[in-house]
């Protein structure tokens, strides 16, 4: 299995195989590849994954991809009892015609007491380009994630973080700007960004509960 994580124009990859002791890493590295034009997105992904599969050459080309959050649109909305009507109303109020055509939204409930929904907007151009790439290369994309959320999945699956009362996923970024996820009793409480400068920490943005 080939896992790929995007950070800006850099793609970090790690290949692993199952073993009796758990996942066994067989290779890892990075590839730098800039998206030259939005019109060339399909060619970009095709060239990228062709190069990655050639590096590994490990039989069936199966992979996962974690996108950089800068390519994704995030928002939250009040959604009592996960009401679809409230979610649709929020999106209708917050989107223009261009974003409605350009983005595919996925909705994830936050902690029950917050009564909010986390909305993740994936550009349809990325979705369609990846679908075409996998078809061209006769490969399979097992999962598509976003940055720190992919790390949270790994924390639960590999390190059994879900067995804890609460935990924090901390992604340290460039220029001392970090992302954090706060999980409590298996529910997402808050997703926020901080900046570390001069020995101080400043909250930059936050989605979810700001009281915890």
């Amino acid at each position: 299995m080939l896992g790929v994580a995007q950070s800006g124009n850099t793609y970090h990859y790690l290949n692993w195989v199952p073993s009796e002791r758990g996942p066994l890493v067989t290779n890892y590295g990075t590839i730098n590849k800039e998206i030259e034009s939005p019109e060339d997105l399909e060619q970009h992904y095709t060239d990228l994954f062709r190069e990655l599969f050639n590096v590994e050459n490990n039989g069936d080309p199966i992979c996962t991809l974690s996108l950089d959050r800068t390519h994704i649109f995030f928002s939250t909305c009040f959604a009592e009892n996960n009401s679809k009507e409230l979610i649709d109303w929020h999106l209708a109020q917050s989107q223009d015609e261009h974003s409605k055509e350009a983005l595919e939204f996925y909705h994830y409930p936050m902690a029950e007491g917050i009564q909010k929904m986390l909305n993740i907007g994936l550009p349809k151009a990325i979705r369609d380009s990846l679908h075409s790439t996998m078809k061209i290369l006769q490969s399979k994309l097992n999962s598509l994630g976003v940055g720190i959320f992919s790390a949270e999945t790994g924390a639960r699956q590999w390190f059994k973080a879900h067995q804890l009362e609460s935990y924090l996923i901390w992604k340290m970024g460039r220029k001392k700007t970090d992302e954090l996820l706060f999980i409590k009793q298996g529910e997402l409480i808050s997703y926020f960004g901080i900046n570390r400068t001069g020995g101080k920490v400043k909250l930059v943005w936050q989605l979810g509960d700001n009281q915890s």
Side-chain angles (χ1 to χ4, degrees), residues 131-142:
H131 181 269
S132 297
T133 289
M134 294 301 121
K135 188 174 182 180
I136 291 170
L137 299 180
Q138 297 182 328
S139 53
K140 182 179 179 181
L141 182 63
N142 259 14

Side-chain angles (χ1 to χ4, degrees), residues 19-187:
S19 71
E20 294 181 356
R21 296 184 178 181
L24 176 64
V25 175
T26 60
N27 194 9
Y28 62 91
T30 60
I31 290 178
N32 293 311
K33 196 168 190 63
E34 183 177 356
I35 299 175
E36 297 180 359
S37 169
E39 289 75 22
D40 298 329
L41 199 56
E42 181 180 316
Q43 190 63 51
H44 170 82
Y45 284 124
T46 301
D47 292 344
L48 170 69
F49 279 98
R50 180 179 284 117
E51 183 175 351
L52 286 169
F53 290 142
N54 286 339
V55 168
E56 290 309 313
N57 193 24
N58 58 352
D60 296 334
I62 302 174
C63 61
T64 64
L65 174 62
S66 177
L67 295 169
D68 190 298
R69 75 176 302 274
T70 57
H71 295 288
I72 307 298
F73 176 82
F74 292 94
S75 69
T76 58
C77 64
F78 175 76
E80 186 176 8
N81 298 321
N82 299 334
S83 169
K84 185 177 184 301
E85 290 76 14
L86 287 173
I87 297 170
D88 291 342
W89 180 85
H90 165 77
L91 292 178
Q93 298 299 312
S94 60
Q95 289 183 278
D96 56 23
E97 290 302 317
H98 174 72
S99 60
K100 288 179 182 178
E101 293 180 2
L103 298 172
E104 180 78 24
F105 275 89
Y106 301 87
H107 313 286
Y108 298 92
M110 303 190 78
E112 185 176 353
I114 301 175
Q115 295 191 345
K116 284 185 178 181
M117 191 72 66
L118 177 65
N119 308 306
I120 300 178
L122 171 69
K124 294 178 182 178
I126 292 180
R127 179 200 64 187
D128 295 343
S129 296
L130 287 170
H131 181 269
S132 297
T133 289
M134 294 301 121
K135 188 174 182 180
I136 291 170
L137 299 180
Q138 297 182 328
S139 53
K140 182 179 179 181
L141 182 63
N142 259 14
S143 70
L144 179 63
V146 182
I148 195 170
F149 292 91
S150 299
E152 195 279 328
T153 300
R156 280 187 283 108
Q157 294 183 347
W158 297 337
F159 301 107
K160 312 302 180 185
H162 60 282
Q163 297 178 3
L164 301 172
E165 174 72 16
S166 64
Y167 57 94
L168 195 70
I169 305 296
W170 190 330
K171 179 184 178 183
M172 304 186 76
R174 298 175 180 176
K175 298 181 180 180
K176 297 184 178 181
T177 299
D178 306 340
E179 298 174 52
L180 298 97
L181 284 178
F182 178 44
I183 312 294
K184 187 175 182 180
Q185 295 181 340
E187 296 181 313

